[in-house]
Amino acid sequence: MTETILDVRGISKRFGGLQALSDVGITIQRGQVYGLIGPNGAGKTTFFNVITGLYTPDSGTFQLGGKPYTPSAVHEVAKAGIARTFQNIRLFADMTALENVMVGRHVRTHSGVLGAVLRTKSFKAEEEAIAERAHQLLEYVGVGHYADYKARTLSYGDQRRLEIARALATDPQLIALDEPAAGMNATEKMQLRELIDRIRNDNRTILLIEHDVKLVMGLCDRVTVLDYGKQIAEGTPADVQKNEKVIEAYLGTGGH
């Protein structure tokens, strides 16, 4: 029996006179890589930002892991179980790779401020466990040998991997990747695809926004297509590619 991880329905969002989203919804099952695509200005980033707490929707319902949640703030969404990366990499540039992942892991810590100040035994034990888990995740994404390097010294592709490791450190129910292949060369894209496949094969669930349609169609289990803030298609990559509305949105004369 399939398990629904994310179920959002009826999402609408207006900015002044612009209707950015109109009644958009998606359902993602555990272990899926779910793609969200559309031409520039289609509403993909707005939808992504609503789900992850950066924007407050005008309407809609949200369930994560079968439980209602309200995406009112980014840190609350992270606690609920959604971790995200950003199109523009947001690492702590002067912290090491290991420290960046440890920061992500602190969402799941229990010692609190007092434990940190007093350096209690339980706090020290928890910090050791966090560091060990961070090392494991760096190895998992393929940058373990850069654990002690400052994030800014890593290559672009490795910084992307590091950001994914930090997202995984929160033990999310859903990993939301915002344009992870942006700016990557062909080799880095191939490595990214292998990593996303590995994450999926470990029964994790991914929501992927990506401009690289070829990558999406070759990687995703299901795809939703937005255009002018509306959902124009949803289904398997094969079905979506044959959809006349999708063909028109990408190849037609709609001004994109």
Side-chain angles (χ1 to χ4, degrees):
M1 183 177 177
T2 57
E3 177 188 357
T4 299
I5 295 298
L6 183 70
D7 186 17
V8 297
R9 302 186 185 190
I11 308 303
S12 295
K13 178 65 179 177
R14 177 183 287 274
F15 296 101
L18 173 66
Q19 188 69 43
L21 295 172
S22 300
D23 193 28
V24 178
I26 60 173
T27 302
I28 307 177
Q29 308 297 332
R30 178 177 292 281
Q32 282 186 335
V33 177
Y34 195 105
L36 185 64
I37 64 172
N40 289 332
K44 304 183 300 295
T45 299
T46 299
F47 185 64
F48 210 71
N49 287 341
V50 164
I51 289 174
T52 56
L54 281 175
Y55 296 159
T56 302
D58 299 325
S59 64
T61 61
F62 301 80
Q63 283 201 338
L64 182 64
K67 298 178 181 178
Y69 87 100
T70 302
S72 55
V74 174
H75 67 282
E76 293 297 335
V77 170
K79 286 182 181 178
I82 295 179
R84 71 166 291 175
T85 64
F86 292 85
Q87 184 175 351
N88 300 313
I89 295 173
R90 298 188 186 182
L91 294 169
F92 297 104
D94 286 313
M95 292 171 61
T96 67
L98 181 67
E99 289 167 342
N100 267 276
V101 180
M102 289 179 69
V103 166
R105 188 65 186 164
H106 277 100
V107 172
R108 302 295 176 213
T109 57
H110 305 286
S111 294
V113 175
L114 185 61
V117 171
L118 299 177
R119 305 290 296 177
T120 61
K121 192 173 182 180
S122 62
F123 170 80
K124 291 179 181 178
E126 192 168 53
E127 282 294 291
E128 289 177 6
I130 289 169
E132 182 179 353
R133 179 60 178 154
H135 273 293
Q136 291 171 352
L137 288 169
L138 289 173
E139 292 290 346
Y140 181 86
V141 302
V143 294
H145 47 301
Y146 294 130
D148 297 325
Y149 287 63
K150 288 187 176 181
R152 60 178 169 79
T153 67
L154 273 59
S155 70
Y156 184 82
D158 286 338
Q159 286 186 26
R160 285 284 185 199
R161 290 170 172 273
L162 175 56
E163 198 175 32
I164 292 172
R166 186 175 64 184
L168 289 169
T170 67
D171 279 344
Q173 296 190 63
L174 178 75
I175 306 161
L177 304 179
D178 188 0
E179 301 279 2
M184 286 188 171
N185 60 38
T187 299
E188 289 170 335
K189 283 185 181 181
M190 183 180 69
Q191 292 170 340
L192 174 68
R193 176 172 178 163
E194 290 172 353
L195 176 57
I196 292 174
D197 259 334
R198 183 178 186 185
I199 294 169
R200 184 216 337 245
N201 290 338
D202 286 336
N203 206 30
R204 294 183 180 272
T205 310
I206 296 171
L207 172 61
L208 175 68
I209 287 185
E210 184 52 63
H211 265 106
D212 189 327
V213 175
K214 183 179 179 182
L215 178 69
V216 169
M217 294 304 179
L219 189 60
C220 293
D221 300 292
R222 295 190 74 81
V223 178
T224 275
V225 187
L226 299 182
D227 193 28
Y228 293 115
K230 296 180 179 179
Q231 204 163 354
I232 61 170
E234 197 279 339
T236 66
D239 290 338
V240 165
Q241 288 181 93
K242 293 183 291 187
N243 187 290
E244 290 183 5
K245 290 183 179 179
V246 176
I247 296 169
E248 173 65 23
Y250 276 99
L251 302 177
T253 57
H256 297 295

